Amino acid sequence: MTDQKRLTTTAGAPMPTNEHSLTAGNRGPVLMQDYQLIEKLAHQNRERIPERVVHAKGWGAKGKLTITNDISMYSRAKIFSEVGKTTEVLSRWSTVAGELGAADAERDVRGFSFKFYTEEGNWDMVGNNTPVFFVRDPYKFPDFIRTQKRHPVTNLRSPEAMFDFWAAQPESVHQVTILMSDRGIPTNPMHMNGYGSHTFSTWNAAGERFWVKFHFKVQQGHKHYTNQEAETLIGKTRESYQEDLYNAIDEGNFPKWKMMIQVMPEEEAATLPFNPFDVTKVWSHKDYPLIEVGMVEMNENPENYFMYVENAAYSPSNVVPGIGFSPDKMLQGRIFSYADAHRYRLGTHYEQLPANQAKNADVNFYHKDGSMRFFPPKTGHVDAYYEPNQYAESAKADPSVAEPPLKIDGDAARYDPADPDADYVQPRALYAEVMNDEERGRLHSNMASAMGPCSDSVKERWYAVLRKVHPDYEAGVRKAVEDDVNAISVTDDTPVEV
Ligand code: NDP
Ligand code: HEM
């Protein structure tokens, strides 16, 4: 006998064949006692789990963060404790609206998630390739996502729904401008920035709190496809990101991002003319300069896609001592939503799957049974399945990791934004000051293609939003829509050769 591995059942019994059903006679029907055939077919029927309700299509890699600058004056998190320190990372990038089989090179915002396996637990940075978001209140998130998904009658994506919603939602115009700009179709995840987008908090060893925004600056340079380039590419392959990313890492070309932060002292938030907890706004780089933290390098393809990328469960609720939340309403909504999604999509003990295990931390908790209870109790003592208890070895809470108290005051109410005109200021800066003429031209034409199928009333409502950003923006998109319509009617009039 060689050292050839023997095929077995899942219960470990050696299998005589993996090809021939047990039949009554050479041509006869299958016997029910061929349990391994039933097992094989039954497993196939259970190979799929629900796809993510958003961000279903994704690509991932393993890597590390190396700290290059001391920021311990802002955060006591151990991940930042010394220059040169490295921490393992699992990344997942994604498109927002596409389903699992969607083409990679579609125009969409890209998800940008890092799971840092720190020695004080997993810290998940679940961001996007854009610094802002479409809406600022979690009440609006499910409605927004419905406009991105299939129409209930046609079962098609609906530009009418998208622009109808955005036109009633001027806070969206900042993010929609980025989406329709060159950055709306990165050539692959290795050519885009990442942003935590929300304002988070950090606190240092002295208990001082800071408000912080996280940035991940791409080191390979920004690269994007035009609509036409993307259409041609999708005609050839729908999996261009997976191919590019997997092959780059396989060939040793490891993509990198410089991690940077913007920092605001806690008290300053109350003195500002704008709301620093509004995820539809950035903090100006001039007022809050970027501070270097470290370098993220992705250098390993996961040994199994499903096990590490599909099973990855990212959640903004996963923070570690020294990193915390902020009053941002959207962030507060997300703190509930993700773990709830994971319990539904993956199961009760999803944090114990290899992708999600806090493998560099000493993990102890009292959650007891339920589906996926495939690991021994982690309470420190076999009889300690409740707390408080008499057992010295059992896990106890550590008050030294408590966040400094946060003063919150104000009347409980449902507030409108103080200054709706503020929604136009930052998209105006992006349009008029950051973009050049060529970029503005492509923005006009990309937006015209996207809104071309909309009704005139939706178009007019959206033009009114663009006008408030900048009159040239409205004029440029209006002209591009009209040019497109004329181009279509010229084509329609062209005699068809038979
Ligand atoms: P800066 O001139 O300091 O920064 C402009 C930023 O815009 C750069 O970070 C650049 O990214 C980014 N950028 C360039 N083209 C695009 C695009 N098509 N879509 C999105 N971002 C792009 O200006 P301010 O900080 O004063 O901000 C001005 C405007 O820039 C903001 O209103 C906002 O719209 C946009 N912006 C600001 C960011 C911030 O955190 N302050 C972050 C991203 C955008 P890079 O350096 O990587 O090329
Ligand atoms: C995925 C909810 C806003 C980035 C998801 C998922 C849900 C969700 C339920 C699927 C999780 C899963 O099944 O694994 C929400 C809600 C939001 C919100 C309720 C607002 C209230 C945002 C914002 C960002 C963002 C503002 C970025 C700044 C992502 C990313 C993923 C994701 C990157 C994919 C994570 C992965 O790769 O697995 N979101 N989201 N979301 N969301 Fe959000």
Side-chain angles (χ1 to χ4, degrees):
M1 184 73 185
T2 64
D3 57 3
Q4 174 75 58
K5 282 196 191 308
R6 282 203 301 186
L7 180 71
T8 69
T9 67
T10 48
M15 296 256 294
T17 177
N18 195 21
E19 289 180 77
H20 306 295
S21 306
L22 187 65
T23 53
N26 189 18
R27 299 183 177 184
V30 172
L31 297 184
M32 198 171 172
Q33 73 184 60
D34 190 351
Y35 177 72
Q36 292 310 325
L37 171 64
I38 296 170
E39 176 86 347
K40 190 168 183 175
L41 296 176
H43 260 274
Q44 185 187 23
N45 288 348
R46 288 161 180 78
E47 279 178 9
R48 306 280 178 275
I49 57 174
E51 66 175 41
R52 289 166 176 81
V53 66
V54 282
H55 295 264
K57 183 71 187 287
W59 322 274
K62 294 181 179 182
K64 62 176 183 189
L65 164 70
T66 306
I67 300 302
T68 54
N69 189 31
D70 179 16
I71 61 154
S72 57
M73 66 294 268
Y74 302 124
S75 176
R76 55 138 293 176
K78 290 208 169 155
I79 186 172
F80 306 130
S81 64
E82 60 187 281
V83 170
K85 182 165 187 166
T86 62
T87 300
E88 293 165 85
V89 184
L90 177 69
S91 67
R92 183 175 182 273
W93 299 280
S94 49
T95 43
V96 178
E99 294 123 0
L100 252 181
D104 294 349
E106 288 177 359
R107 182 171 296 279
D108 200 349
V109 168
R110 265 62 180 168
F112 195 108
S113 302
F114 284 149
K115 188 180 285 290
F116 297 99
Y117 298 99
T118 91
E119 64 208 87
E120 281 195 320
N122 290 350
W123 170 40
D124 291 354
M125 211 290 312
V126 200
N128 279 334
N129 71 331
T130 61
V132 293
F133 199 69
F134 296 92
V135 292
R136 64 162 77 86
D137 194 302
Y139 251 98
K140 297 178 182 173
F141 183 79
D143 299 272
F144 162 62
I145 291 301
R146 292 208 189 110
T147 70
Q148 296 293 304
K149 296 280 187 177
R150 291 170 187 272
H151 187 278
V153 177
T154 63
N155 198 33
L156 298 169
R157 303 280 299 277
S158 169
E160 178 81 357
M162 296 177 202
F163 282 91
D164 181 24
F165 180 84
W166 288 332
Q169 216 46 82
E171 72 207 48
S172 297
V173 71
H174 196 183
Q175 176 81 321
V176 176
T177 302
I178 297 173
L179 172 62
M180 298 297 164
S181 78
D182 290 344
R183 296 200 177 185
I185 320 181
T187 54
N188 59 44
M190 297 176 288
H191 293 288
M192 63 191 197
N193 280 350
Y195 302 88
S197 305
H198 298 281
T199 297
F200 293 86
S201 59
T202 57
W203 71 91
N204 64 19
E208 295 166 304
R209 178 185 282 104
F210 301 86
W211 304 118
V212 169
K213 285 203 186 260
F214 294 99
H215 300 250
F216 297 86
K217 290 269 194 184
V218 67
Q219 300 300 292
Q220 295 68 241
H222 293 278
K223 282 192 193 159
H224 314 105
Y225 289 128
T226 62
N227 277 356
Q228 290 72 17
E229 287 167 340
E231 278 166 24
T232 308
L233 178 67
I234 291 170
K236 291 186 190 145
T237 172
R238 299 171 63 77
E239 316 297 339
S240 52
Y241 281 29
Q242 183 66 28
E243 290 163 6
D244 290 354
L245 182 69
Y246 186 92
N247 291 335
I249 292 176
D250 201 42
E251 289 159 13
N253 298 322
F254 303 143
K256 295 188 181 69
W257 288 263
K258 188 187 277 189
M259 179 174 177
M260 307 188 88
I261 52 172
Q262 290 176 290
V263 178
M264 182 189 293
E266 180 176 358
E267 309 72 42
E268 200 166 305
T271 67
L272 295 171
F274 67 98
N275 175 5
F277 308 116
D278 176 349
V279 73
T280 64
K281 310 282 185 301
V282 296
W283 296 355
S284 155
H285 290 140
K286 287 136 211 129
D287 299 338
Y288 299 95
L290 291 167
I291 299 167
E292 179 177 332
V293 178
M295 191 68 80
V296 178
E297 175 188 273
M298 303 315 295
N299 53 22
E300 190 184 338
N301 283 314
E303 56 267 40
N304 183 283
Y305 178 88
F306 191 93
M307 189 172 160
Y308 283 98
V309 185
E310 199 56 20
N311 271 353
Y314 292 92
S315 175
S317 55
N318 279 343
V319 286
V320 293
I323 303 175
F325 310 127
S326 81
D328 181 330
K329 298 172 218 232
M330 284 281 285
L331 177 59
Q332 296 284 330
R334 296 179 73 200
I335 290 164
F336 155 73
S337 182
Y338 288 68
D340 183 56
H342 304 325
R343 284 186 285 264
Y344 164 70
R345 187 171 69 85
L346 297 168
T348 311
H349 292 289
Y350 67 90
E351 294 276 33
Q352 304 313 313
L353 293 170
N356 306 319
Q357 274 170 13
K359 54 185 173 174
N360 294 322
D362 182 22
V363 181
N364 307 292
F365 57 84
Y366 285 88
H367 299 314
K368 195 163 178 269
D369 300 335
S371 73
M372 304 165 77
R373 176 52 130 145
F374 54 82
F375 50 92
K378 293 177 183 278
T379 64
H381 188 287
V382 284
D383 291 330
Y385 52 92
Y386 56 90
E387 234 234 321
N389 61 54
Q390 60 182 314
Y391 307 106
E393 311 90 305
S394 71
K396 300 280 185 291
D398 173 5
S400 76
V401 300
E403 194 173 342
L406 174 65
K407 185 171 172 48
I408 299 178
D409 52 20
D411 298 331
R414 299 173 188 275
Y415 291 91
D416 275 339
D419 175 13
D421 285 343
D423 289 333
Y424 303 102
V425 174
Q426 293 193 351
R428 187 176 304 133
L430 178 61
Y431 179 83
E433 290 160 35
V434 177
M435 290 183 187
N436 61 31
D437 280 346
E438 288 73 34
E439 288 168 332
R440 278 190 285 268
R442 288 192 293 272
L443 167 69
H444 299 157
S445 117
N446 293 336
M447 192 172 284
S449 307
M451 66 190 286
C454 294
S455 63
D456 286 346
S457 71
V458 163
K459 280 185 186 135
E460 287 302 326
R461 282 170 49 218
W462 183 243
Y463 292 145
V465 173
L466 299 184
R467 193 179 317 143
K468 286 193 167 178
V469 177
H470 201 287
D472 294 353
Y473 195 0
E474 183 210 353
V477 175
R478 197 182 270 277
K479 179 164 184 315
V481 169
E482 283 162 11
D483 288 352
D484 259 10
V485 170
N486 293 336
I488 290 164
S489 68
V490 169
T491 313
D492 287 347
D493 291 346
T494 310
V496 179
E497 283 185 32
V498 284

